[in-house]
């Protein structure tokens, strides 16, 4: 997106702050992350110190669903958490309240790669209803209906999905090895035993993921 040094960013539901911290390091931006999880925010602040960007970024504990920047920002982001605005439309409107005219909105959102054949597939892809996600052309059309131009997008392919998901299996296995007597160990053992086949049967085939850069018309 050709970010100029000093660009200001707001990241809603920022999680562990990885995007904000690495962009501060790599592109010399400043920014604020907002998240409701104190665990994630502790990780985000530690990451900012690790990357030597603690003076460039700030992390706020709070409800991202009603957070508006004190001053307009150049980039407003919500990656994988559009539930904070009750969906894509509400999240776009929320970000617009913080982004300056001509600024960029970043939305990370799943979409259907293939039409899910039944409710089992829908729920295995972390949706409650088929309508919770849209096919990619419909999602892009929705952005237009919301008065936005799509100016960039980055889509996961199946290989990058594999790398993302499989890293979770490795972490579960390492956690089980280190915590065999934990009260959650049996539950996590079942998760590890079933997750790979579940992923291959459903998410890998049916669920897509993208981050979309938008500008208001």
């Amino acid at each position: 997106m050709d970010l100029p040094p000093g660009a200001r960013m707001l990241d809603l539901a920022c999680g562990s702050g990885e995007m904000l911290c690495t962009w501060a390091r790599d592109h010399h931006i400043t920014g604020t992350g907002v998240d409701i999880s104190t665990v994630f925010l502790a990780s985000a602040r530690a990451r900012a110190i690790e990357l030597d960007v603690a003076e460039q970024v700030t992390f706020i504990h709070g409800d991202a669903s009603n957070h508006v920047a004190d001053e307009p920002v150049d980039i407003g982001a919500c990656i994988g958490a559009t539930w904070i605005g009750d969906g894509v439309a509400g999240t776009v409107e929320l970000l617009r309240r913080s982004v300056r005219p001509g600024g960029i909105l970043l939305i990370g959102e799943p979409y259907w790669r293939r039409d899910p054949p039944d409710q089992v597939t829908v729920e295995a892809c972390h949706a409650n209803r088929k309508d919770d996600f849209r096919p990619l052309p419909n999602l892009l059309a929705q952005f237009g209906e919301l008065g936005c131009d799509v100016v960039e997008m980055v889509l996961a392919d199946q290989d990058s999905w594999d790398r993302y998901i499989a890293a979770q299996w490795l972490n579960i296995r390492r956690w089980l090895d280190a915590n065999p007597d934990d009260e959650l160990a049996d539950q996590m053992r079942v998760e590890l035993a079933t997750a790979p086949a579940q992923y291959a049967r459903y998410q890998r085939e049916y669920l897509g993921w993208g981050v979309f850069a938008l500008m208001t018309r």
Side-chain angles (χ1 to χ4, degrees):
M1 295 186 301
D2 193 24
L3 301 177
R8 298 180 65 243
M9 181 174 182
L10 174 67
D11 189 3
L12 297 182
C14 66
S16 58
E18 185 69 15
M19 180 172 67
L20 189 54
C21 289
T22 54
W23 284 19
R25 178 196 64 189
D26 296 343
H27 303 292
H28 310 289
I29 69 167
T30 64
T32 300
V34 182
D35 204 277
I36 202 167
S37 168
T38 55
V39 174
F40 274 138
L41 291 181
S43 178
R45 293 180 180 117
R47 185 63 166 154
I49 293 171
E50 179 184 359
L51 298 184
D52 196 26
V53 294
E55 294 185 0
Q56 295 168 242
V57 296
T58 301
F59 293 100
I60 296 174
H61 178 235
D63 183 356
S65 66
N66 56 26
H67 185 92
V68 178
D70 293 335
E71 297 180 6
V73 298
D74 301 292
I75 309 154
C78 179
I79 308 300
T82 56
W83 49 265
I84 68 170
D86 292 325
V88 169
T91 303
V92 166
E93 183 56 35
L94 176 63
L95 290 174
R96 276 182 172 144
R97 296 168 62 191
S98 293
V99 175
R100 65 167 176 79
I104 290 177
L105 287 66
L106 291 181
I107 297 285
E109 182 72 1
Y111 59 88
W112 293 121
R113 294 183 66 248
R114 295 170 55 190
D115 188 44
D118 49 40
Q119 184 64 18
V120 172
T121 304
V122 169
E123 293 180 4
C125 292
H126 307 296
N128 294 318
R129 302 170 301 148
K130 180 180 175 180
D131 291 345
D132 286 347
F133 306 141
R134 301 184 180 208
L136 180 59
N138 296 21
L139 177 59
L140 295 172
Q142 182 186 18
F143 292 137
E145 293 163 2
L146 295 171
C148 294
D149 291 320
V150 180
V151 298
E152 178 61 286
M153 66 181 185
V154 178
L155 305 181
D157 59 16
Q158 287 180 307
D159 181 66
S160 56
W161 259 131
D162 294 347
R163 302 283 66 74
Y164 174 76
I165 295 293
Q168 298 175 31
W169 306 335
L170 178 60
N171 284 336
I172 292 173
R173 173 54 195 263
R174 287 175 171 167
W175 183 88
L176 283 166
D177 288 346
N179 301 275
D181 299 322
D182 190 276
E183 62 181 10
L184 293 177
D186 289 345
Q187 177 181 334
M188 297 305 289
R189 166 49 59 190
V190 171
E191 171 71 15
L192 183 58
T194 58
Q198 178 100 341
Y199 164 72
R201 184 173 294 114
Y202 298 113
Q203 291 169 262
R204 193 175 195 272
E205 295 301 315
Y206 291 94
L207 194 63
W209 164 256
V211 179
F212 306 90
L214 316 173
M215 296 179 70
T216 298
R217 291 172 181 158

